[in-house]
Amino acid sequence: QVQLVESGGGVVQPGRSLRLSCAATGFSFSTYNMHWVRQAPGKGLEWVALISYDGNNIYYVDSVQGRFTISRDNSKNTLFLQMNSLRAEDTAVYYCAKGPLAGYYDTWGQGTPVTVSA
Amino acid sequence: DIQMTQSPSSLSASVGDRVTITCRASQSVAGYLNWYQQKPGKAPKLLIYSASSLQSGVPSRFSGSGFGTDFTLTISSLQPEDFATYYCQQSYNTPITFGQGTRLEIK
């Protein structure tokens, strides 16, 4: 059964850091590009970052460039998102998602909530 | 960045109705257009990929069409479980972008 399970979310003060994880099971993790997508409360979906299957190609939305780092450990079938210098506007549910090269997401995790508040 | 604009932003319809949601891209995305359904508190679910391909397990009442900049999602006969929010997404290039969503409500 193909499954993605996020963890690591929580409440954090502005300027602090948080590391999200996404554990993958049921598919060949090392052959898929992986993404993080977020959704602020009551708002739409926003793509955050993409890492290629081998980790060699990485892309970010402008609003997190220089603050967030996406990475993966193919030996542990796990995706990460290191979030530094967090801002109130980063408050959202963060989803990891997988899909083929065509870029659609056929599997999503259940999401992990991140709240940035003093 | 490619801007994705959905219309309408909200829609009221009845069970059995035929519904069409439109998505327009600010520049061509070729066929790299995907549709998702999201229910409150849940992760999005893929319905249509590559503009017109039905994801496995999705009922055939859902269909997609279009190419380039103009796309549509059609639900041929609304069922109670279809009341949700729908998003289009372009995967033509980064940054990957979504439409603002269309909330489909029961009339």
Side-chain angles (χ1 to χ4, degrees), chain A residues 100-117:
Chain A
L101 285 175
Y104 55 86
Y105 307 136
D106 57 13
T107 303
W108 297 66
Q110 84 287 356
T112 187
V114 172
T115 301
V116 183
S117 174

Side-chain angles (χ1 to χ4, degrees), chain B residues 8-47:
Chain B
S9 294
S10 63
L11 174 61
S12 293
S14 301
V15 173
D17 283 355
R18 180 183 181 90
V19 166
T20 297
I21 298 169
T22 296
C23 179
R24 175 164 288 176
S26 60
Q27 64 188 75
S28 177
V29 298
Y32 291 89
L33 192 285
N34 314 300
W35 291 97
Y36 299 88
Q37 176 194 68
Q38 188 179 33
K39 296 182 178 179
K42 299 295 186 181
K45 172 188 174 183
L46 178 67
L47 299 175

Side-chain angles (χ1 to χ4, degrees), chain A residues 6 20 37-41 90-95 110-114:
Chain A
E6 302 96 336
L20 306 183
V37 177
R38 67 183 179 184
Q39 186 168 36
D90 297 319
T91 294
V93 174
Y94 284 73
Y95 297 99
Q110 84 287 356
T112 187
V114 172

Side-chain angles (χ1 to χ4, degrees), chain A residues 35 37 39 42-48 50 59-62 95 101-111, chain B residues 1 32 34 36 38 41-46 48-50 55 87 89-92 94-100:
Chain A
H35 301 246
V37 177
Q39 186 168 36
K43 302 298 184 182
L45 300 167
E46 180 184 36
W47 171 79
V48 174
L50 152 67
Y59 305 89
Y60 300 98
V61 68
D62 282 351
Y95 297 99
L101 285 175
Y104 55 86
Y105 307 136
D106 57 13
T107 303
W108 297 66
Q110 84 287 356
Chain B
D1 298 3
Y32 291 89
N34 314 300
Y36 299 88
Q38 188 179 33
K42 299 295 186 181
K45 172 188 174 183
L46 178 67
I48 302 287
Y49 63 93
S50 300
Q55 172 67 356
Y87 294 94
Q89 172 223 5
Q90 68 81 16
S91 53
Y92 181 72
T94 58
I96 291 167
T97 48
F98 291 86
Q100 81 279 14

